Amino acid sequence: MSSTPEPYSITAPAVMVLQPDAAGTFKVVNSGSKPIQVTGSLGRYNDKSLHYPAASHATLTTFSQPWVTFTPHQFRLQPGQSVTVRISDHVPAGTQGHHYLNVAWLIKPVTTGPTTAGTHLQGAVATSIDIPMPGHAVAVTSHGQPQPPPLPPGQFPVLLVLIPALLLVLAVATAAALAARRARNRHLQRARTS
Amino acid sequence: MKGIKLLAAAAVAAAAIGASTAPAWADGGPVTATVAVPSTLTFSFTSATSFTVAPGATSTGAVAFTIVTNNPAGYDVFQSAPDLTAGANSLPATDLSFVLHYHNSNGTDVTPAAQLTNTQARFIHQVTPSMGGGDTYAQDWTAATLPGNTPGGNYSTVITYIAAGNS
């Protein structure tokens, strides 16, 4: 690497193993010669995080409810300065296999004055987080709308009995109301003709 | 007899001292040293962080960057940009396209001259660590020739580059 640092440069861990329901720290470094504004965000930037995301729901194009949190999200770094990031995860019970997410660190020059014309650039490094668990993960291969989660065991048989019972009660109540109305109408008709 | 007792006592004392202070290597056992080298990834722009290109023209070497990593599984680089805008007017991001150049350790450009559009998500996929001094990349950016009735203005966008470590 050149002994003279480039103006805009950022260094972060390439990969990091984070145990389930654990926390850790790592450093993000301004490896350039100018100050930078850094913004962190979660994303999926390699094959493993695309197919085995550490998130409660995901397709190949979207994901939600990530299992990973980190702080701080935004900070400014002077040349050579670093910040310690704290990262933690919470994995849903029953999850199996390795799951992945990326923490992307986007840098922008700290500029004063009006923005110059033209196409602008911004760069980032994305740390790949690996959450290891025993078993085999199920790959995300679907596109499209998210599906509701399956019912927990024990509730499906209750609904099988409850829904028909409710329909039966409703039918009986409706029939009784109709019968009462017919009887009232007959009574009124007799009263008019007599 | 007294001399033998003294010698025996000295031998016992010497053995006791030796047993309590002898270093591990004296027993023939190995000494383990561990040096932890963290896996890091560095992204650096080696060009200016903005460029201008006229319609139908090419800006050679408009963007250049270097990636340094010791990650054994290498890295990927993603690129994204929204449509170009000038006030209320816009041009599709695909009106910008580029040729990627990659320089090996000899400084030779080894990249095929393939024109890639600006919607290319992942455009670099390396499965090994970078060279010692970093992998250097450069892009020649070309702006499409525009129809004659395109509203005038300085159309701009922000191109984001993300280098991700492979796991």
Side-chain angles (χ1 to χ4, degrees):
Chain A
M1 193 175 201
S2 167
S3 58
T4 305
E6 299 297 338
Y8 299 109
S9 176
I10 184 168
T11 299
V15 294
M16 179 178 175
V17 176
L18 185 62
Q19 295 299 323
D21 300 305
T25 61
F26 59 91
K27 287 189 183 295
V28 177
V29 184
N30 179 357
S31 40
S33 61
K34 295 199 172 185
I36 53 175
Q37 181 71 28
V38 185
T39 303
S41 63
L42 293 171
R44 298 154 69 196
Y45 299 109
N46 56 24
D47 288 340
K48 289 188 177 177
S49 57
L50 278 170
H51 290 98
Y52 305 99
S56 294
H57 171 75
T59 67
L60 280 179
T61 53
T62 61
F63 76 101
S64 64
Q65 300 175 16
W67 305 341
V68 177
T69 57
F70 64 94
T71 186
H73 284 244
Q74 279 194 333
F75 42 88
R76 182 174 292 190
L77 292 177
Q78 297 300 318
Q81 189 182 10
S82 66
V83 71
T84 297
V85 175
R86 178 178 169 82
I87 188 167
S88 61
D89 69 328
H90 178 68
V91 176
T95 304
Q96 293 188 344
H98 289 242
H99 287 72
Y100 307 83
L101 264 185
N102 302 107
V103 183
W105 302 103
L106 183 69
I107 65 171
K108 293 181 183 179
V110 176
T111 56
T112 56
T115 303
T116 57
T119 296
H120 295 269
L121 313 174
Q122 53 190 23
V125 295
T127 300
S128 296
I129 308 296
D130 176 5
I131 304 176
M133 284 165 287
H136 296 283
V138 177
V140 168
T141 56
S142 63
H143 296 265
Q145 295 301 318
Q147 297 299 317
L151 289 168
Q155 290 190 9
F156 188 62
V158 172
L159 283 175
L160 265 182
V161 172
L162 192 60
I163 291 174
L166 284 173
L167 288 173
L168 183 61
V169 167
L170 189 62
V172 167
T174 304
L178 283 172
R181 188 174 180 180
R182 277 193 222 108
R184 182 169 170 267
N185 288 342
R186 278 199 295 272
H187 178 74
L188 286 172
Q189 198 170 11
R190 281 195 211 110
R192 284 196 204 108
T193 55
S194 63
Chain B
M1 191 63 174
K2 188 176 181 181
I4 293 174
K5 284 184 182 175
L6 281 174
L7 280 174
V12 169
I17 292 169
S20 64
T21 60
W25 52 262
D27 296 333
V31 174
T32 302
T34 300
V35 178
V37 179
S39 173
T40 61
L41 176 63
T42 298
F43 178 93
S44 309
F45 280 116
T46 55
S47 63
T49 55
S50 66
F51 68 91
T52 302
V53 58
T58 297
S59 178
T60 302
V63 178
F65 54 90
T66 298
I67 297 187
V68 182
T69 186
N70 58 354
N71 184 30
Y75 60 91
D76 291 342
V77 182
F78 292 75
Q79 173 187 292
S80 65
D83 292 340
L84 296 88
T85 58
N89 301 311
S90 67
L91 295 172
T94 50
D95 274 1
L96 286 175
S97 60
F98 65 93
V99 169
L100 178 68
H101 301 275
Y102 166 58
H103 297 271
N104 64 10
S105 56
N106 294 327
T108 304
D109 189 344
V110 295
T111 307
Q115 198 80 17
L116 301 174
T117 64
N118 197 21
T119 57
Q120 197 72 22
R122 183 176 73 178
F123 69 106
I124 295 173
H125 179 59
Q126 290 285 353
V127 296
T128 57
S130 69
M131 293 184 291
D135 292 343
T136 58
Y137 297 91
Q139 293 174 306
D140 304 334
W141 280 94
T142 299
T145 302
L146 301 176
N149 60 350
T150 302
N154 291 321
Y155 292 80
S156 64
T157 184
V158 179
I159 305 175
T160 301
Y161 297 79
I162 300 177
N166 288 329
S167 53

mmCIF file of all heavy atoms in Angstrom, chain B residues 55 84-92 95 144-156:
data_model
loop_
_atom_site.group_PDB
_atom_site.id
_atom_site.type_symbol
_atom_site.label_atom_id
_atom_site.label_comp_id
_atom_site.label_asym_id
_atom_site.label_seq_id
_atom_site.Cartn_x
_atom_site.Cartn_y
_atom_site.Cartn_z
ATOM 1 N N PRO B 55 -22.632 14.561 -22.979
ATOM 2 C CA PRO B 55 -23.376 13.530 -23.713
ATOM 3 C C PRO B 55 -22.606 13.061 -24.929
ATOM 4 O O PRO B 55 -22.028 13.872 -25.678
ATOM 5 C CB PRO B 55 -24.674 14.241 -24.115
ATOM 6 C CG PRO B 55 -24.830 15.334 -23.126
ATOM 7 C CD PRO B 55 -23.442 15.776 -22.775
ATOM 8 N N LEU B 84 -30.310 10.393 -12.988
ATOM 9 C CA LEU B 84 -29.713 11.720 -12.959
ATOM 10 C C LEU B 84 -30.825 12.775 -12.967
ATOM 11 O O LEU B 84 -31.833 12.604 -13.654
ATOM 12 C CB LEU B 84 -28.806 11.937 -14.172
ATOM 13 C CG LEU B 84 -27.582 11.030 -14.275
ATOM 14 C CD1 LEU B 84 -27.898 9.750 -15.007
ATOM 15 C CD2 LEU B 84 -26.434 11.755 -14.976
ATOM 16 N N THR B 85 -30.640 13.819 -12.219
ATOM 17 C CA THR B 85 -31.663 14.856 -12.146
ATOM 18 C C THR B 85 -31.055 16.231 -12.358
ATOM 19 O O THR B 85 -29.888 16.482 -12.024
ATOM 20 C CB THR B 85 -32.376 14.842 -10.782
ATOM 21 O OG1 THR B 85 -31.398 15.029 -9.755
ATOM 22 C CG2 THR B 85 -33.126 13.553 -10.562
ATOM 23 N N ALA B 86 -31.886 17.107 -12.924
ATOM 24 C CA ALA B 86 -31.554 18.529 -13.060
ATOM 25 C C ALA B 86 -32.854 19.261 -12.792
ATOM 26 O O ALA B 86 -33.677 19.424 -13.691
ATOM 27 C CB ALA B 86 -31.019 18.828 -14.457
ATOM 28 N N GLY B 87 -33.065 19.655 -11.568
ATOM 29 C CA GLY B 87 -34.343 20.261 -11.192
ATOM 30 C C GLY B 87 -35.457 19.243 -11.329
ATOM 31 O O GLY B 87 -35.392 18.158 -10.757
ATOM 32 N N ALA B 88 -36.470 19.564 -12.106
ATOM 33 C CA ALA B 88 -37.611 18.665 -12.288
ATOM 34 C C ALA B 88 -37.370 17.658 -13.402
ATOM 35 O O ALA B 88 -38.186 16.759 -13.600
ATOM 36 C CB ALA B 88 -38.859 19.481 -12.603
ATOM 37 N N ASN B 89 -36.279 17.782 -14.122
ATOM 38 C CA ASN B 89 -35.997 16.880 -15.244
ATOM 39 C C ASN B 89 -35.076 15.757 -14.809
ATOM 40 O O ASN B 89 -34.277 15.923 -13.884
ATOM 41 C CB ASN B 89 -35.357 17.668 -16.393
ATOM 42 C CG ASN B 89 -36.260 18.784 -16.870
ATOM 43 O OD1 ASN B 89 -37.442 18.576 -17.121
ATOM 44 N ND2 ASN B 89 -35.702 19.989 -16.978
ATOM 45 N N SER B 90 -35.201 14.617 -15.468
ATOM 46 C CA SER B 90 -34.356 13.480 -15.097
ATOM 47 C C SER B 90 -33.959 12.684 -16.323
ATOM 48 O O SER B 90 -34.608 12.753 -17.372
ATOM 49 C CB SER B 90 -35.088 12.570 -14.107
ATOM 50 O OG SER B 90 -36.200 11.952 -14.727
ATOM 51 N N LEU B 91 -32.870 11.974 -16.181
ATOM 52 C CA LEU B 91 -32.384 11.047 -17.183
ATOM 53 C C LEU B 91 -32.173 9.706 -16.510
ATOM 54 O O LEU B 91 -31.783 9.661 -15.340
ATOM 55 C CB LEU B 91 -31.046 11.527 -17.774
ATOM 56 C CG LEU B 91 -31.063 12.821 -18.579
ATOM 57 C CD1 LEU B 91 -29.629 13.237 -18.912
ATOM 58 C CD2 LEU B 91 -31.883 12.656 -19.843
ATOM 59 N N PRO B 92 -32.417 8.602 -17.195
ATOM 60 C CA PRO B 92 -32.222 7.295 -16.547
ATOM 61 C C PRO B 92 -30.762 7.062 -16.192
ATOM 62 O O PRO B 92 -29.856 7.504 -16.918
ATOM 63 C CB PRO B 92 -32.707 6.299 -17.604
ATOM 64 C CG PRO B 92 -32.670 7.043 -18.899
ATOM 65 C CD PRO B 92 -32.893 8.474 -18.580
ATOM 66 N N ASP B 95 -28.182 5.861 -18.663
ATOM 67 C CA ASP B 95 -27.537 6.718 -19.657
ATOM 68 C C ASP B 95 -26.043 6.843 -19.389
ATOM 69 O O ASP B 95 -25.301 7.384 -20.202
ATOM 70 C CB ASP B 95 -28.191 8.106 -19.679
ATOM 71 C CG ASP B 95 -29.409 8.151 -20.595
ATOM 72 O OD1 ASP B 95 -29.742 7.095 -21.179
ATOM 73 O OD2 ASP B 95 -30.021 9.217 -20.721
ATOM 74 N N ALA B 144 -24.507 8.674 -22.544
ATOM 75 C CA ALA B 144 -25.209 8.373 -23.794
ATOM 76 C C ALA B 144 -25.472 9.648 -24.586
ATOM 77 O O ALA B 144 -25.580 10.744 -24.027
ATOM 78 C CB ALA B 144 -26.527 7.673 -23.477
ATOM 79 N N THR B 145 -25.581 9.475 -25.897
ATOM 80 C CA THR B 145 -25.988 10.590 -26.746
ATOM 81 C C THR B 145 -27.474 10.836 -26.510
ATOM 82 O O THR B 145 -28.271 9.905 -26.545
ATOM 83 C CB THR B 145 -25.738 10.252 -28.222
ATOM 84 O OG1 THR B 145 -24.334 9.962 -28.384
ATOM 85 C CG2 THR B 145 -26.130 11.409 -29.120
ATOM 86 N N LEU B 146 -27.829 12.076 -26.248
ATOM 87 C CA LEU B 146 -29.207 12.375 -25.859
ATOM 88 C C LEU B 146 -30.013 12.905 -27.043
ATOM 89 O O LEU B 146 -29.447 13.515 -27.958
ATOM 90 C CB LEU B 146 -29.211 13.406 -24.724
ATOM 91 C CG LEU B 146 -28.469 12.986 -23.451
ATOM 92 C CD1 LEU B 146 -28.452 14.124 -22.448
ATOM 93 C CD2 LEU B 146 -29.102 11.753 -22.845
ATOM 94 N N PRO B 147 -31.337 12.687 -27.015
ATOM 95 C CA PRO B 147 -32.175 13.274 -28.066
ATOM 96 C C PRO B 147 -32.055 14.799 -28.071
ATOM 97 O O PRO B 147 -31.787 15.419 -27.044
ATOM 98 C CB PRO B 147 -33.591 12.833 -27.678
ATOM 99 C CG PRO B 147 -33.405 11.677 -26.772
ATOM 100 C CD PRO B 147 -32.103 11.880 -26.063
ATOM 101 N N GLY B 148 -32.312 15.377 -29.237
ATOM 102 C CA GLY B 148 -32.150 16.814 -29.386
ATOM 103 C C GLY B 148 -33.114 17.631 -28.548
ATOM 104 O O GLY B 148 -32.852 18.805 -28.283
ATOM 105 N N ASN B 149 -34.226 17.038 -28.110
ATOM 106 C CA ASN B 149 -35.201 17.797 -27.336
ATOM 107 C C ASN B 149 -35.034 17.594 -25.836
ATOM 108 O O ASN B 149 -35.918 17.920 -25.054
ATOM 109 C CB ASN B 149 -36.623 17.400 -27.749
ATOM 110 C CG ASN B 149 -36.894 15.924 -27.515
ATOM 111 O OD1 ASN B 149 -35.970 15.155 -27.217
ATOM 112 N ND2 ASN B 149 -38.140 15.529 -27.647
ATOM 113 N N THR B 150 -33.907 17.062 -25.410
ATOM 114 C CA THR B 150 -33.667 16.885 -23.975
ATOM 115 C C THR B 150 -33.527 18.251 -23.318
ATOM 116 O O THR B 150 -32.722 19.081 -23.780
ATOM 117 C CB THR B 150 -32.385 16.071 -23.730
ATOM 118 O OG1 THR B 150 -32.503 14.808 -24.378
ATOM 119 C CG2 THR B 150 -32.136 15.866 -22.247
ATOM 120 N N PRO B 151 -34.291 18.508 -22.248
ATOM 121 C CA PRO B 151 -34.171 19.814 -21.576
ATOM 122 C C PRO B 151 -32.755 20.051 -21.096
ATOM 123 O O PRO B 151 -32.077 19.135 -20.614
ATOM 124 C CB PRO B 151 -35.141 19.684 -20.394
ATOM 125 C CG PRO B 151 -36.097 18.627 -20.793
ATOM 126 C CD PRO B 151 -35.322 17.659 -21.644
ATOM 127 N N GLY B 152 -32.296 21.294 -21.248
ATOM 128 C CA GLY B 152 -30.938 21.629 -20.837
ATOM 129 C C GLY B 152 -30.786 21.644 -19.335
ATOM 130 O O GLY B 152 -31.746 21.763 -18.580
ATOM 131 N N GLY B 153 -29.572 21.460 -18.871
ATOM 132 C CA GLY B 153 -29.316 21.495 -17.436
ATOM 133 C C GLY B 153 -28.133 20.626 -17.084
ATOM 134 O O GLY B 153 -27.643 19.851 -17.898
ATOM 135 N N ASN B 154 -27.652 20.777 -15.838
ATOM 136 C CA ASN B 154 -26.561 19.936 -15.333
ATOM 137 C C ASN B 154 -27.176 18.744 -14.602
ATOM 138 O O ASN B 154 -27.563 18.860 -13.446
ATOM 139 C CB ASN B 154 -25.655 20.733 -14.400
ATOM 140 C CG ASN B 154 -24.856 21.787 -15.129
ATOM 141 O OD1 ASN B 154 -24.384 21.540 -16.245
ATOM 142 N ND2 ASN B 154 -24.704 22.947 -14.536
ATOM 143 N N TYR B 155 -27.255 17.619 -15.276
ATOM 144 C CA TYR B 155 -27.840 16.416 -14.692
ATOM 145 C C TYR B 155 -26.784 15.710 -13.845
ATOM 146 O O TYR B 155 -25.663 15.490 -14.298
ATOM 147 C CB TYR B 155 -28.331 15.468 -15.789
ATOM 148 C CG TYR B 155 -29.514 16.001 -16.563
ATOM 149 C CD1 TYR B 155 -29.334 16.933 -17.581
ATOM 150 C CD2 TYR B 155 -30.803 15.579 -16.267
ATOM 151 C CE1 TYR B 155 -30.416 17.433 -18.284
ATOM 152 C CE2 TYR B 155 -31.894 16.072 -16.971
ATOM 153 C CZ TYR B 155 -31.690 17.008 -17.973
ATOM 154 O OH TYR B 155 -32.771 17.503 -18.656
ATOM 155 N N SER B 156 -27.166 15.364 -12.629
ATOM 156 C CA SER B 156 -26.177 14.727 -11.754
ATOM 157 C C SER B 156 -26.818 13.602 -10.957
ATOM 158 O O SER B 156 -28.046 13.522 -10.820
ATOM 159 C CB SER B 156 -25.555 15.755 -10.805
ATOM 160 O OG SER B 156 -26.542 16.282 -9.938
#
